[in-house]
């Protein structure tokens, strides 16, 4: 089986944890352990988020006047190297003798995407309301609620095409464990001369993972986070986990745009277009999600849902 596993930012850095190399290394050790078992018997392609990391790099960049001022696409590329290096190292340690490669991935977006006028993607740390208002005024940031706090939000255009898709297929075909599309990939557009340039945005990594899964003809897409699965009536006394559904069934529900919504959209689109399966749930439950014993499993319509 060919599996694309997307590691969410919250799977790499738990809420409330300090954004330190030690904390990320500890979580990545657990992540690679959960996926290494699957990799021994299946082809594995790993993508990952970068929301907390790219936000902190942006803060560091702005802290030294006249030195940085790097746009989000370059900061995103920096986090791809940082996180991808750590993921690749953990996989090498747990799968001795297996080839592992990290692929810096540029993904084309539409410069006219309406997302550029409507920032929704949360990045960086969580602030109090007072801190958020101060930063918004000082730096011109867009701020939105996130749980009990507030975070910076940036444009999140839809991914259209992976520029390195041929290299990706070559590596996967050779049996290499590939880490790619880090942070949703580096968002780029083509100018009137056909030249590539980066844009100020962060692509939703779950949608990019779905694109990767379709392009490599994967059998399964796993969207791994810190949640038990897709929860219905979230936060209410009747909250419950949706165990199994078809794309049509799961899309009939509404989910938050900045969190579970993109996961559901990516999973449903992958299953509908390929006939494969998709799972959403906790990182440590990856193997169990794949067989429908944990998380939420999305299956083709003819396979029967809830």
């Amino acid at each position: 089986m060919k599996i694309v596993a997307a590691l969410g930012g919250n799977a790499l850095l738990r809420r409330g944890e300090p954004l330190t190399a030690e904390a990320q290394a500890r979580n990545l050790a657990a992540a690679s352990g959960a996926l290494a078992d699957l990799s021994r018997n299946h082809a594995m392609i790993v993508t990952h988020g970068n929301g907390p990391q790219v936000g902190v790099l942006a803060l560091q960049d702005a802290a030294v006047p006249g030195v940085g001022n790097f746009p989000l696409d370059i900061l995103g590329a920096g986090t791809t190297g940082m996180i991808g290096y750590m993921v690749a190292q953990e996989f090498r340690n747990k799968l001795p003798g297996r080839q592992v490669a990290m692929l810096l991935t540029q993904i084309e977006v539409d410069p006219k995407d309406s997302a550029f006028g409507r920032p929704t993607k949360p990045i960086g740390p969580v602030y109090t309301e007072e801190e958020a208002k101060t930063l918004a005024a000082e730096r011109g940031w867009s701020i939105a609620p996130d749980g009990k706090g507030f975070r910076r939000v940036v444009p999140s255009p839809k991914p259209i095409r992976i520029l390195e898709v041929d290299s990706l297929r070559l590596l996967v075909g050779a049996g290499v464990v590939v880490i790619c599309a880090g942070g949703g990939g580096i968002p780029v557009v083509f100018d009137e001369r056909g030249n590539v340039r980066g844009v100020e945005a962060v692509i939703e990594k779950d949608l990019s993972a779905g694109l990767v899964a379709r392009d490599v003809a994967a059998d399964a897409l796993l969207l791994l986070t810190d949640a038990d699965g897709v929860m219905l009536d979230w936060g209410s006394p009747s909250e419950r986990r949706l165990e199994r559904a078809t794309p049509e069934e799961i899309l009939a529900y509404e989910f938050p745009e900045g969190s579970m919504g993109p996961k559901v959209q990516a999973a449903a689109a992958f299953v509908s277009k390929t006939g494969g399966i998709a799972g959403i749930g906790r990182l440590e439950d990856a193997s169990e999600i794949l067989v429908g014993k944990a998380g939420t499993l999305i299956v083709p319509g003819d396979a029967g849902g809830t």
Side-chain angles (χ1 to χ4, degrees):
M1 182 180 286
K2 192 182 300 179
I3 302 169
V4 171
L7 304 179
N10 292 331
L12 301 175
L13 190 73
R14 307 292 182 178
R15 288 183 181 273
E17 282 187 323
L19 207 164
T20 62
E22 291 77 15
Q24 292 180 85
R26 182 173 60 252
N27 291 330
L28 285 171
S32 60
L35 295 180
D37 289 339
L38 285 173
S39 302
R40 291 186 176 92
N41 299 309
H42 304 287
M44 179 65 66
I45 304 96
V46 181
T47 71
H48 60 80
N50 72 340
Q53 294 82 0
V54 74
V56 168
L57 281 190
L59 284 171
Q60 293 174 343
D61 180 67
V64 185
V67 174
N69 298 318
F70 288 105
L72 281 173
D73 59 303
I74 293 179
L75 296 177
T79 63
T80 293
M82 177 178 70
I83 301 170
Y85 154 69
M86 299 173 77
V87 175
Q89 190 174 78
E90 286 294 338
F91 265 89
R92 284 187 178 276
N93 290 339
K94 290 183 169 59
L95 297 171
R98 186 79 175 271
Q99 290 297 309
V100 180
M102 182 185 69
L103 181 64
L104 195 66
T105 315
Q106 300 175 87
I107 296 185
E108 181 184 3
V109 300
D110 183 351
K112 297 180 180 179
D113 192 311
S114 61
F116 286 106
R118 189 172 58 91
T120 58
K121 175 66 177 176
I123 66 170
V126 178
Y127 302 105
T128 65
E129 185 174 6
E130 183 178 350
E131 290 171 333
K133 288 180 177 178
T134 299
L135 287 167
E138 290 178 351
R139 301 182 180 180
W141 286 357
S142 296
I143 299 291
D146 184 59
K148 296 181 179 180
F150 293 79
R151 291 175 76 186
R152 179 187 178 188
V153 289
V154 300
S156 184
K158 289 182 172 59
I160 297 173
R161 181 168 63 97
I162 299 170
L163 270 59
E164 292 79 14
V165 67
D166 290 337
S167 299
L168 174 58
R169 288 170 177 159
L170 185 67
L171 289 166
V172 173
V176 178
V177 174
V178 184
I179 297 101
C180 66
I186 303 164
V188 299
V189 297
F190 287 84
D191 63 21
E192 61 278 0
R193 296 183 178 180
N195 295 322
V196 182
R197 63 177 178 83
V199 289
E200 186 84 349
V202 174
I203 303 173
E204 175 54 59
K205 68 103 179 52
D206 294 312
L207 299 183
S208 293
L211 180 60
V212 169
R214 295 194 297 274
D215 279 352
V216 300
D219 302 292
L221 171 64
L222 292 177
L223 303 172
L224 305 170
T225 181
D226 60 352
D228 286 332
V230 177
M231 308 303 292
L232 302 180
D233 298 329
W234 183 75
S236 74
S238 61
E239 177 180 305
R240 62 200 185 280
R241 176 171 59 90
L242 180 61
E243 297 181 3
R244 183 183 177 99
T246 66
E248 294 77 17
E249 289 169 342
I250 201 167
L251 289 175
Y253 300 100
E254 291 187 7
F255 299 99
E257 190 171 7
S259 55
M260 189 57 71
K263 291 177 173 57
V264 168
Q265 293 169 23
F270 171 74
V271 175
S272 295
K273 293 178 181 179
T274 68
I277 61 173
I280 301 172
R282 291 187 182 277
L283 170 61
E284 55 266 33
D285 295 333
S287 296
E288 297 293 288
I289 295 170
L290 198 60
V291 294
K293 293 183 178 180
T296 299
L297 192 66
I298 297 92
V299 298
D302 57 6
T306 54

